[in-house]
Amino acid sequence: MYLLDKLFNPRSIAIVGATDKKEKVGYAIFKNIIDGGFKGKVYPVNKRIKELEGYKVFPSVLEIPDQVDLAIIAIPIIYIPEIFDQLGQKGIKTAVVISAGGRESGEKGRKIEETLKEKAKQNGIRFLGPNCLGFANTLIDLNANFGLDKPLKGKTAFISQSGALFTAIMDWALQERIGFSYAVSIGNMADIDFGDLIEYLGKKDEVETILIYMESLTEAEKFTIASRTITPKKPIIIAKSGKSEIGQKAAISHTGAIGGKDFLYSALIKRVGALRVDNVLQLFDMTDALSREPVPKGNRFVVITNAGGPGVMAADQFDKWDTQPAELSEKTMEKLNKVLPPVWSHNNPVDIIGDAPPERYREALRILFDAPEVDGIICILTPQFMTKPFESAQVFYEVSKDKKKPFYPVLLGGEKLQKARRYLEEHNIPVFETPEEAVDSMFMAWKYKYHTGLLSRDNIVLYVDRKIEVENLFSDKKRDKQLLLTELDVKNVLKAYSIPVNPTFNAKTKEDAIKIANEIGYPVVMKINSPDILHKSDAGCVFLNIQNRSEVEKAFEIIIQNALKYKKDAKINGVIVEKQVEGDFELIIGSSYDRLFRQYIMFGTGGTFVEFYKDVSFDFIPLSEISAIEMISSTKIYKLLKNGFRNKKPVEIKTLVNILMNVSVLLQSFPEIEELDINPLVIKGNQAWAVDGRIKLSLEKRKNTILV
């Protein structure tokens, strides 16, 4: 971190590519630095000119007579490897590479960028970029970028992967009077990346919140470790673009970074205790809300309004968060009845009617702040004929100033509300423009608290237990290049890790099948046992509910015939005969290896419609007990599992937690597992059976977790 401090707090700067051509980036950066009030030394570097606005220009960094902390480079990227060698000779250990033309431009640029990384390593240089706009450190009045204006001072750090968005946000923040301590355009992250900046900025007293616009990660492990260290102390709020498939492709082409699956980004942001928002404006909404108001302790929120329509709009927005407005107690209702007109809504949203004076807001708000069933208040004011906006704003401040519950006022209007809006902002109360914006912000504030609460209980233990029978099986399979295991093999692996399976055996002949069926008891299921036939149902090689000997004989013959018809050269190991089990719910547990995120794990609604429902949650190994519980409770089927449904009994959630934890141990123990699927996992009460499964191995040796 010492070198990053040199970069962001330099005493002297060389600007390589500083120029007198005012349309060039080198001139813009030079002007921003000297006009911004930077008190350190500035050394323009350019072979063509001798002087620039009163500053001596040096033909090379090697000609600068003094020590230099930071080089900012704005010349064509093909010349920068040579410049890095000069920096090494000069002892300059930090740089900002503004120049584009790296990996975002194609294979040639990727090679140049790799050369830059090699040169930086050889010369002990840490650098920001390439393809970035630079940065600002308002604490030392350093505006080292080619944006338009110097940002205001504040206690928020902003990191942007998009240069264009960086300048747009800086301009918008000036208009909204939003300040920063640090603002960084991170570019291609060939060296300094999100993890480096989170670790560095998170330790700064002058940074209270870290805002990030992210398109992609390059070092997921570094980001994870840094974020898990910082989020318990200060919020990290992330606007991640590239949710759709088209968006992901756009992000890859824009930054040249490795593209990841969006659902894995969401899972990782949650696991590290950060907060993901939907757009850039919400970054600042949440900064405003978290810095000015208490964080809600729960998600029981009340809406108070002087207009029915906006109240309904707010209530509708609760559906987005899969919850309802708080249910007011009889005691609270009685108190409200005493101070509100008889025609008030008698419900939440609390509609106090369009003629509400400030005093009515005061009385209702006092009651709601004291109500134990309320965790936060959204207060809507619309400018009707009898409304007194400014006086109401004074009441809002008076009633809420010492309370430990968040209070989000919505001033729904324009000119008539400007004075009230200014008053609230001057008194450090966030003001929202729409009911939806306020509802989203309050729920996101609660999500932030919820995520950090999960993190505090997320006790990760990397537990490796390589069962000898599984190790021998995998070794044999990898030696023979049979990387896709049969169902029988999969179930033997699962059994070794205490993951329950239904009794399953292989029959090489009809006589074997009959004997097995008689021993395990009818009804049975019969399937082809072949490494060459993955989708057994598609091949007509699965028979259910077999009740007797004759049905076993018939099923055996048809399965073999259909298998050879489906794939005439298929290797057939026999026919699986297994006990048919009946449960109340079908679930899925799956895992796959991603090169960026490594091994991730999935839980959710299973069966044949798993891809249709897409009711699944994701996380990363190793799972802790709290992360396993969160995976289960994050799915829509959780309510059915917990409470039961019609004739289906509630499920023992602890049973599912144990299975997930055992799957996690299996995956930790064997990094060579490329893919794992248990579908369906049939469950009834506290009993579960992995009825079908699939494991694919890899020949690669690799680390399979980003968490430790």
Side-chain angles (χ1 to χ4, degrees):
M1 291 299 106
Y2 166 74
L3 287 182
L4 264 66
D5 212 41
K6 281 261 188 184
L7 192 157
F8 290 110
N9 290 276
R11 292 169 298 179
S12 53
I13 303 172
I15 306 173
V16 180
T19 177
D20 54 355
K21 295 180 179 179
K22 296 184 178 181
E23 72 278 8
K24 295 289 188 179
V25 169
Y27 178 81
I29 292 174
F30 171 76
K31 282 292 287 180
N32 277 347
I33 291 174
I34 62 174
D35 291 350
F38 176 62
K39 296 176 179 59
K41 295 180 179 179
V42 179
Y43 303 99
V45 177
N46 189 316
K47 292 180 180 180
R48 184 179 58 81
I49 57 177
K50 303 294 185 183
E51 185 267 343
L52 180 60
E53 300 199 9
Y55 284 77
K56 180 181 178 180
V57 179
F58 296 88
S60 162
V61 294
L62 297 174
E63 302 296 321
I64 299 172
D66 306 314
Q67 180 180 344
V68 176
D69 290 334
L70 169 65
I72 300 176
I73 305 170
I75 61 174
I77 196 168
I78 58 172
Y79 302 117
I80 297 180
E82 179 185 350
I83 297 296
F84 270 22
D85 283 336
Q86 294 178 11
L87 299 186
Q89 292 177 51
K90 182 65 180 172
I92 303 172
K93 297 298 183 182
T94 66
V96 176
V97 179
I98 304 294
S99 319
R103 66 176 180 267
E104 82 284 354
S105 64
E107 182 60 22
K108 183 178 179 181
R110 187 192 65 77
K111 290 180 179 178
I112 294 174
E113 197 168 300
E114 288 299 319
T115 302
L116 280 185
K117 291 165 69 175
E118 292 170 9
K119 290 288 186 180
K121 188 174 182 179
Q122 291 170 9
N123 293 289
I125 297 169
R126 297 302 311 271
F127 70 97
L128 195 65
N131 188 31
C132 73
L133 270 69
F135 71 94
N137 177 354
T138 64
L139 304 168
I140 59 172
D141 295 313
L142 176 56
N143 191 27
N145 63 83
F146 60 94
L148 295 174
D149 297 291
K150 178 181 175 181
L152 299 175
K153 294 186 177 183
K155 290 198 170 184
T156 297
F158 177 51
I159 307 168
S160 177
Q161 199 169 359
S162 164
L165 192 66
F166 178 84
T167 57
I169 290 297
M170 292 297 100
D171 186 51
W172 177 82
L174 281 173
Q175 174 185 299
E176 299 297 319
R177 309 301 296 169
I178 295 171
F180 302 91
S181 47
Y182 298 86
V184 184
S185 168
I186 200 168
N188 286 10
M189 301 185 291
D191 178 32
I192 295 171
D193 60 17
F194 284 118
D196 294 312
L197 291 180
I198 288 169
E199 182 183 3
Y200 175 75
L201 297 172
K203 293 178 180 178
K204 293 289 183 182
D205 292 338
E206 57 269 21
V207 174
E208 292 181 350
T209 307
I210 298 175
L211 307 184
I212 295 175
Y213 170 75
M214 178 186 292
E215 292 176 349
S216 57
L217 286 171
T218 53
E219 296 286 343
E221 183 175 5
K222 194 192 295 186
F223 166 83
T224 300
I225 293 170
S227 298
R228 285 175 66 88
T229 302
I230 299 304
T231 50
K233 305 167 190 173
K234 54 190 68 174
I236 298 176
I237 307 171
I238 301 170
K240 164 72 178 68
S241 64
K243 289 184 179 181
S244 66
E245 185 177 351
I246 293 174
Q248 289 180 32
K249 290 178 180 177
I252 295 167
S253 64
H254 181 58
T255 64
I258 299 170
K261 301 176 180 69
D262 187 68
F263 55 79
L264 295 181
Y265 278 100
S266 291
L268 182 59
I269 290 169
K270 179 179 180 179
R271 189 77 185 268
V272 301
L275 175 67
R276 180 173 183 175
V277 298
D278 292 333
N279 54 62
V280 173
L281 293 181
Q282 285 182 349
L283 287 175
F284 297 96
D285 280 346
M286 293 315 303
T287 302
D288 210 20
L290 292 173
S291 63
R292 297 189 186 193
E293 288 291 310
V295 178
K297 295 180 180 179
N299 64 343
R300 301 171 303 170
F301 304 137
V302 67
V303 177
I304 179 171
T305 177
N306 69 340
V312 173
M313 292 164 64
D316 286 346
Q317 195 69 5
F318 278 63
D319 285 343
K320 172 183 174 182
W321 299 94
D322 195 28
T323 191
Q324 296 295 316
E327 185 175 344
L328 300 178
S329 68
E330 289 185 13
K331 187 175 181 180
T332 299
M333 295 286 283
E334 289 173 5
K335 290 180 179 179
L336 289 171
N337 283 333
K338 292 177 181 178
V339 300
L340 296 179
V343 292
W344 79 279
S345 61
H346 293 85
N347 205 344
N348 180 12
V350 178
D351 185 351
I352 61 174
I353 312 305
D355 64 352
E359 292 75 17
R360 194 180 298 166
Y361 271 110
R362 178 188 287 112
E363 294 303 320
L365 286 171
R366 282 176 175 169
I367 293 168
L368 294 172
F369 268 115
D370 290 340
E373 69 272 22
V374 173
D375 295 316
I377 300 173
I378 295 163
C379 182
I380 302 172
L381 184 144
T382 61
Q384 303 185 42
F385 182 80
M386 63 291 293
T387 306
K388 296 179 180 178
F390 180 71
E391 291 81 355
S392 295
Q394 290 176 310
V395 165
F396 295 167
Y397 170 67
E398 171 198 329
V399 176
S400 68
K401 62 181 178 181
D402 296 321
K403 298 296 189 268
K404 295 182 180 179
K405 297 177 182 178
F407 175 72
Y408 291 2
V410 178
L411 301 189
L412 195 57
E415 183 62 33
K416 291 181 174 62
L417 301 177
Q418 286 303 317
K419 185 178 179 182
R421 183 174 284 109
R422 283 195 300 271
Y423 175 86
L424 290 172
E425 289 173 345
E426 288 168 0
H427 286 79
N428 213 32
I429 296 177
V431 181
F432 297 88
E433 295 185 359
T434 68
E436 294 88 349
E437 182 186 11
V439 171
D440 285 348
S441 296
M442 190 162 283
F443 271 101
M444 285 189 288
W446 170 71
K447 280 287 186 184
Y448 160 71
K449 181 177 180 63
Y450 183 71
H451 290 176
T452 53
L454 291 175
L455 182 62
S456 68
R457 294 178 286 157
D458 188 16
N459 301 315
I460 295 174
V461 177
L462 187 58
Y463 178 62
V464 174
D465 181 17
R466 287 180 73 94
K467 303 287 187 185
I468 188 64
E469 62 269 37
V470 176
E471 188 163 18
N472 290 340
L473 173 66
F474 285 0
S475 295
D476 291 344
K477 295 293 182 181
K478 288 189 291 183
R479 183 195 61 221
D480 298 337
K481 302 292 177 66
Q482 294 179 0
L483 301 182
L484 195 63
L485 274 61
T486 66
E487 180 182 340
L488 200 62
D489 289 333
V490 171
K491 287 189 173 179
N492 287 332
V493 171
L494 298 180
K495 279 195 294 184
Y497 282 85
S498 301
I499 299 159
V501 301
N502 55 328
T504 304
F505 302 91
N506 184 53
K508 290 187 175 294
T509 65
K510 280 188 290 187
E511 290 70 25
D512 288 342
I514 293 166
K515 183 180 178 183
I516 292 168
N518 288 335
E519 289 178 353
I520 64 177
Y522 294 96
V524 297
V525 176
M526 296 176 66
K527 312 172 186 175
I528 191 68
N529 183 9
S530 169
D532 298 322
I533 301 176
L534 301 182
H535 304 291
K536 305 179 192 72
S537 296
D538 293 348
C541 293
V542 177
F543 281 77
L544 307 176
N545 203 32
I546 296 171
Q547 298 287 347
N548 52 53
R549 174 191 178 110
S550 63
E551 290 183 8
V552 170
E553 292 179 336
K554 185 176 181 181
F556 190 97
E557 292 173 354
I558 295 174
I559 287 172
I560 297 296
Q561 290 171 8
N562 287 350
L564 294 174
K565 190 183 301 182
Y566 184 79
K567 194 174 192 303
K568 63 181 180 181
D569 59 343
K571 179 181 180 182
I572 297 176
N573 297 328
V575 173
I576 288 172
V577 182
E578 60 186 50
K579 180 67 177 177
Q580 181 163 316
V581 294
E582 300 294 336
D584 289 332
F585 301 98
E586 290 190 343
L587 305 173
I588 183 170
I589 296 175
S591 176
S592 188
Y593 186 87
D594 183 88
R595 294 200 174 275
L596 177 62
F597 295 98
R598 304 201 180 119
Q599 202 80 35
Y600 63 90
I601 191 166
M602 177 182 74
F603 171 86
T605 302
T608 55
F609 292 102
V610 60
E611 293 180 0
F612 176 78
Y613 289 120
K614 295 183 179 178
D615 175 30
V616 290
S617 62
F618 297 90
D619 212 318
F620 305 88
I621 67 164
L623 290 179
S624 62
E625 186 168 341
I626 191 64
S627 60
I629 292 170
E630 184 63 20
M631 283 191 75
I632 298 165
S633 62
S634 295
T635 58
K636 292 178 181 177
I637 200 173
Y638 171 68
K639 291 180 181 178
L640 300 181
L641 296 173
K642 183 180 179 183
N643 302 318
F645 179 70
R646 293 183 179 173
N647 63 333
K648 300 180 187 298
K649 296 180 179 180
V651 167
E652 180 59 60
I653 300 300
K654 180 65 175 176
T655 300
L656 292 176
V657 171
N658 290 340
I659 292 172
L660 275 171
M661 296 291 284
N662 290 340
V663 171
S664 177
V665 172
L666 167 62
L667 294 169
Q668 293 169 54
S669 303
F670 292 96
E672 58 262 50
I673 295 177
E674 180 85 16
E675 297 174 9
L676 179 150
D677 278 315
I678 301 171
N679 184 33
L681 177 72
V682 173
I683 189 157
K684 185 181 184 72
N686 64 353
Q687 291 185 295
W689 303 273
V691 172
D692 203 350
R694 178 175 179 267
I695 290 177
K696 181 182 178 183
L697 302 177
S698 170
L699 296 176
E700 289 185 54
K701 293 182 178 180
R702 62 207 179 184
K703 185 176 179 182
N704 66 344
T705 176
I706 56 174
L707 291 172
V708 290

